[in-house]
Amino acid sequence: MTRNKGILYLALCAALWSTAGVFIKLIDWNSLVIGGFRSAIAAAVLWIVLWRRGAPRPVWNRSTLLTGLCLGGTTALFVMANKLTTAANAIVLQSANPVFVLLFCAMGRGQRITRRDLTVVAVVMLGVILFFVDDLSPGGLLGNTVALLSAVLLAAAFLFVSSAASLHETMSGVLIGHLFSALIGVPFLFLEPPVFTPVSVGAILFLGVFQLGIPYVLFSYAARVCPPLAISLIGMLEPIFSPIWVAIFVGEIPGPLALAGGGIVIITLCLWCACNARQADNTGAPS
């Protein structure tokens, strides 16, 4: 596994993660019930992969528990944020997570923040804001704060998952995160029992297997070779890909500002990856 292959895996993850919007629209359930079901299915997929690798039991230690708590907390806070503020506000504020990745790397790992990394983070965030500018609003203070907290937890999760000692430990942390997310949704099964139809069952299976399960397997492999900032920035492609699926399947075409914002994000990330690859070639480091 090379870093270039890891970045390709992360881009594929972002594309698969972004299909959530299209398939969630097909399920008339409470949002936390949807989140719980798809996380339970995703956890089963990860467990099967671990079993196939000859390690059926996940690792339970400080690192995997912290990863799991951060990932599970991110999911719960993001759902809450969507209920307390606009969806666009929630996405844009959660997309601030690369800023916190830089801060955590500087404070916790003593890494120097380079001008290039700061510029890339600023430009990518500008692109995301432009993409959603038509739907942004002042929103509720509580909802915006919750969305920002989800960005903090997501950044922490990226740091914990990238520092795991082995692939088994990385997958274990992600699996525990999905188990926590599933547990969060369990009480709502009794408060608002879901109505099972062929469409809702098919959609929830797609979400669990292809929108979360398989992408998080790829994510676990990529996290072994990609630094936290790369994981965070490539993940910013998710909100850019999402409207593409909506345009294809629903017919809603993004406006000119959204297209410009998406172009800025994609071009900036491509240039950043190219610069990193060239720097690695010049220093003889593996790419």
Side-chain angles (χ1 to χ4, degrees), residues 173-227:
V174 175
L175 188 154
I176 291 168
H178 285 304
L179 290 177
F180 283 146
S181 297
L183 286 174
I184 290 168
V186 165
F188 295 88
L189 285 170
F190 304 100
L191 295 174
E192 296 184 38
V195 177
F196 294 97
T197 65
V199 171
S200 65
V201 170
I204 200 68
L205 285 173
F206 181 93
L207 288 169
V209 176
F210 296 102
Q211 190 264 325
L212 277 190
I214 292 173
Y216 268 109
V217 173
L218 298 176
F219 172 85
S220 299
Y221 278 96
R224 303 295 305 147
V225 293
C226 293

Side-chain angles (χ1 to χ4, degrees), residues 234-254:
I234 302 300
M236 300 281 269
L237 288 171
E238 180 188 353
I240 305 303
F241 280 136
S242 185
I244 294 175
W245 303 120
V246 174
I248 292 172
F249 293 105
V250 182
E252 295 177 4
I253 307 300

Side-chain angles (χ1 to χ4, degrees), residues 12-67:
L12 183 56
C13 286
L16 290 170
W17 285 333
S18 67
T19 59
V22 172
F23 285 89
I24 286 175
K25 290 178 184 291
L26 301 175
I27 307 173
D28 189 21
W29 299 352
N30 177 285
S31 57
L32 287 172
V33 173
I34 296 173
F37 261 102
R38 67 173 183 160
S39 285
I41 297 168
V45 171
L46 284 157
W47 217 314
I48 289 169
V49 173
L50 285 176
W51 175 72
R52 295 276 296 177
R53 288 179 53 82
R57 294 183 180 180
V59 176
W60 294 83
N61 59 27
R62 180 177 177 273
S63 175
T64 59
L65 284 173
L66 286 173
T67 300

Side-chain angles (χ1 to χ4, degrees), residues 85-95 132 135-140 144 147:
T85 187
T86 65
N89 283 16
I91 292 170
V92 168
L93 288 168
Q94 193 188 60
S95 296
F132 292 97
D135 298 318
L136 289 174
S137 68
N144 290 344

Side-chain angles (χ1 to χ4, degrees), residues 106-129:
M107 293 186 300
R109 297 185 175 182
Q111 295 180 5
R112 186 173 63 89
I113 300 176
T114 67
R115 185 178 299 177
R116 185 178 69 180
D117 288 342
L118 280 173
T119 302
V120 169
V121 168
V123 173
V124 168
M125 285 196 63
L126 173 63
V128 172
I129 291 170

Side-chain angles (χ1 to χ4, degrees), residues 90-170:
I91 292 170
V92 168
L93 288 168
Q94 193 188 60
S95 296
N97 69 83
V99 175
F100 296 106
V101 169
L102 285 178
L103 290 174
F104 291 158
C105 284
M107 293 186 300
R109 297 185 175 182
Q111 295 180 5
R112 186 173 63 89
I113 300 176
T114 67
R115 185 178 299 177
R116 185 178 69 180
D117 288 342
L118 280 173
T119 302
V120 169
V121 168
V123 173
V124 168
M125 285 196 63
L126 173 63
V128 172
I129 291 170
L130 276 177
F131 200 90
F132 292 97
V133 71
D134 291 335
D135 298 318
L136 289 174
S137 68
L141 177 60
L142 178 59
N144 290 344
T145 302
V146 170
L148 200 57
L149 285 174
S150 75
V152 174
L153 285 184
L154 186 58
F158 289 152
L159 259 72
F160 289 131
V161 82
S162 67
S163 61
S166 65
L167 178 62
H168 185 194
E169 190 171 299
T170 302

